[in-house]
Amino acid sequence: FFAIFVQVVLKAECFVSIRFHLDIFGVLLFCPDQDNYQTLFGAVDNSFLVAYAIGMFFSGIFGERVPLRYYLTIGMLLSGLFTCLFGLGFYLNIHSIWYYAFVQAMNGLVQTTGWPAVVACVGNWFGKGKRGFIMGVWNSHTSVGNILGSLIAGVFVSSAWGMSFIVPGIIIASTGVLCFFFLVENRIYSTLKQSIVRMVRTMLIAVYGQEDNEKEPLLQNSSSNEEIFSSPGQSNSISSEPAEEHTKAISFCGALRIPGVMEFSLCLLFAKLVSYTFLYWLPLYIANVAHFDPKEAGDMSTLFDVGGIVGGIVAGLVSDQTGGRASTCCVMLILAAPMVRMLLVCGALVNGPYALITTAVSADLGTHESLRGNSRALSTVTAIIDGTGSIGAALGPLLAGLISPTGWNNVFFMLITADILACLLLSRLVYKEVRGWCGHSPRQRG
């Protein structure tokens, strides 16, 4: 639950950092007398996405080697700092493109700490049996964060747009503090329980001058997983640690060699290309074609995110029941191609595979049987998959900006092509899953 809350705040802060209606925010930021304000806004926009895509490939490597609680906390605090710095540009009357591009690039880098860390935490708590459904429900935070980010931006954008960044920045920094004290990385090492036990012992020593001897039977009668809460001098706390904690973290190239990582990574590239093109350009499309005002267009575009909540849950549930992650993604992407103009349905069909790949599939591959029990690959695999997808997230809006002057139909043809390519990249894995269903090979989840 806490991981959901953390990622909702992170996603909302990320979303409000990069999504505003171009005709409003571009003018406010770069002065109305500049004809190229949309180009300048695009540069700020892409500085975030490119930095995020590059940083993601390195983020997972660090995530495997440092405590996830500290890693996520530092990332959230820094993200709050850079988001507030962006908003302070309004009050300091800064109109330099380099200032905003630098702040957004740094924000993109520090936000890469979020996704690998939270997926690894949630993956540590749940097995493969119901992982798709559980992570599908959990992944609804992305769409909820998108909606919250849009609403927060809309409140302040016409009066003091700087607060559209400062408020989320304060929220995410505050959540980072909560993360430090309360996030439990896995069910074995419950840092919260350890802190409580140590605090109680300290209080007992302060009151009685020595530890209460009656507490020992209480700890000894608890389950074996809680034996780690005994004092550091006892040998049984060492023996209860799982051997996998001492396993060397997987390398970047080693993660790439895990079967399925390359296919799902490239598939996510095109799936994110479609999703982020809608994310950035849908309000502008609605305003231009349906002649809605900017606020109404922004509100209408949230239907795509609402569909994404349903799609992520359905994709996880179906993949759990069938055991076919790739087949589920492929079918939904095929159905999405002719539905690109239906916001609610398209949101479900596009974001369903996107959510499944970045959560359950990443967790499955991060604990793949080829790793022989080495669990210290989850963060790296997640970073590789999401980092590759983030390249598509940067390319999609850029291509849409280049193609849209030739007509919106051409933009939709580009999105349909991306959907088809995403399906083709999964063809080998789909074939393998179908053969498993037909009894030609053992069927495996993931």
Side-chain angles (χ1 to χ4, degrees), residues 7 47 78 92 117 146 155 178 214 250 264 354 357 364 367:
Q7 198 61 18
S47 65
L78 289 176
L92 299 177
N146 289 346
V155 170
L178 294 176
E214 292 185 0
I250 194 171
F264 277 113
Y354 168 19
I357 293 173
D364 289 348
T367 55

Side-chain angles (χ1 to χ4, degrees), residues 36-238:
N36 65 335
Y37 69 86
Q38 289 194 5
T39 302
L40 295 174
F41 181 81
V44 173
D45 218 15
N46 280 296
S47 65
F48 177 93
L49 292 173
V50 172
Y52 184 86
I54 295 173
M56 184 61 72
F57 290 105
F58 300 96
S59 176
I61 298 175
F62 290 112
E64 301 290 3
R65 291 161 173 81
V66 297
L68 294 177
R69 183 165 61 97
Y70 300 151
Y71 191 54
L72 187 57
T73 298
I74 293 172
M76 296 180 74
L77 291 175
L78 289 176
S79 183
L81 171 64
F82 287 114
T83 304
C84 288
L85 287 175
F86 196 101
L88 286 174
F90 170 78
Y91 297 99
L92 299 177
N93 198 29
I94 298 175
H95 295 279
S96 170
I97 178 67
W98 299 110
Y99 172 81
Y100 293 103
F102 172 77
V103 171
Q104 282 293 76
M106 294 303 298
N107 206 349
L109 285 175
V110 298
Q111 285 197 22
T112 60
T113 61
W115 193 248
V118 294
V119 171
C121 287
V122 176
N124 287 336
W125 278 86
F126 302 104
K128 292 185 179 181
K130 299 294 181 182
R131 182 179 281 167
F133 173 71
I134 292 171
M135 285 193 155
V137 174
W138 172 73
N139 190 68
S140 63
H141 64 247
T142 58
S143 297
V144 173
N146 289 346
I147 295 170
L148 288 177
S150 182
L151 295 176
I152 293 173
V155 170
F156 301 104
V157 68
S158 299
S159 55
W161 62 260
M163 294 303 295
S164 296
F165 293 87
I166 293 175
V167 171
I170 294 173
I171 293 174
I172 192 173
S174 302
T175 309
V177 175
L178 294 176
C179 174
F180 177 78
F181 287 106
F182 298 107
L183 179 64
V184 181
E185 295 182 18
N186 54 53
R187 69 182 94 187
I188 297 176
Y189 292 102
S190 177
T191 55
L192 176 59
K193 289 183 179 179
Q194 290 185 52
S195 300
I196 293 174
V197 170
R198 292 188 184 118
M199 181 177 66
V200 171
R201 288 181 176 176
T202 303
M203 292 173 61
L204 289 172
I205 293 173
V207 173
Y208 297 105
Q210 61 181 1
E211 296 186 73
D212 188 356
N213 292 329
E214 292 185 0
K215 73 180 182 300
E216 287 299 327
L218 188 62
L219 290 174
Q220 291 173 358
N221 292 334
S222 61
S223 63
S224 60
N225 284 343
E226 294 184 0
E227 291 179 359
I228 60 172
F229 304 137
S230 55
S231 59
Q234 293 178 325
S235 59
N236 60 348
S237 64
I238 299 175

Side-chain angles (χ1 to χ4, degrees), residues 193-357:
K193 289 183 179 179
Q194 290 185 52
S195 300
I196 293 174
V197 170
R198 292 188 184 118
M199 181 177 66
V200 171
R201 288 181 176 176
T202 303
M203 292 173 61
L204 289 172
I205 293 173
V207 173
Y208 297 105
Q210 61 181 1
E211 296 186 73
D212 188 356
N213 292 329
E214 292 185 0
K215 73 180 182 300
E216 287 299 327
L218 188 62
L219 290 174
Q220 291 173 358
N221 292 334
S222 61
S223 63
S224 60
N225 284 343
E226 294 184 0
E227 291 179 359
I228 60 172
F229 304 137
S230 55
S231 59
Q234 293 178 325
S235 59
N236 60 348
S237 64
I238 299 175
S239 61
S240 63
E241 294 182 2
E244 62 186 30
E245 289 299 319
H246 303 285
T247 307
K248 185 179 180 181
I250 194 171
S251 65
F252 184 87
C253 294
L256 284 176
R257 289 194 291 267
I258 298 174
V261 168
M262 289 297 297
E263 288 97 330
F264 277 113
S265 296
L266 294 173
C267 174
L268 184 63
L269 186 151
F270 290 104
K272 260 196 167 184
L273 185 151
V274 176
S275 180
Y276 272 68
T277 301
F278 275 106
L279 193 70
Y280 282 77
W281 287 89
L282 193 54
L284 188 61
Y285 169 76
I286 294 173
N288 288 346
V289 176
H291 305 292
F292 282 43
D293 64 55
K295 186 178 186 305
E296 291 176 339
D299 294 341
M300 182 68 69
S301 67
T302 59
L303 288 175
F304 185 81
D305 296 311
V306 174
I309 296 174
V310 178
I313 296 173
V314 171
L317 185 61
V318 171
S319 68
D320 280 342
Q321 296 299 318
T322 62
R325 308 285 198 212
S327 300
T328 302
C329 292
C330 190
V331 170
M332 295 185 77
L333 289 170
I334 291 173
L335 294 175
M339 303 286 185
V340 289
R341 293 179 183 270
M342 301 174 64
L343 298 185
L344 195 64
V345 178
C346 184
L349 295 174
V350 169
N351 285 335
Y354 168 19
L356 186 63
I357 293 173

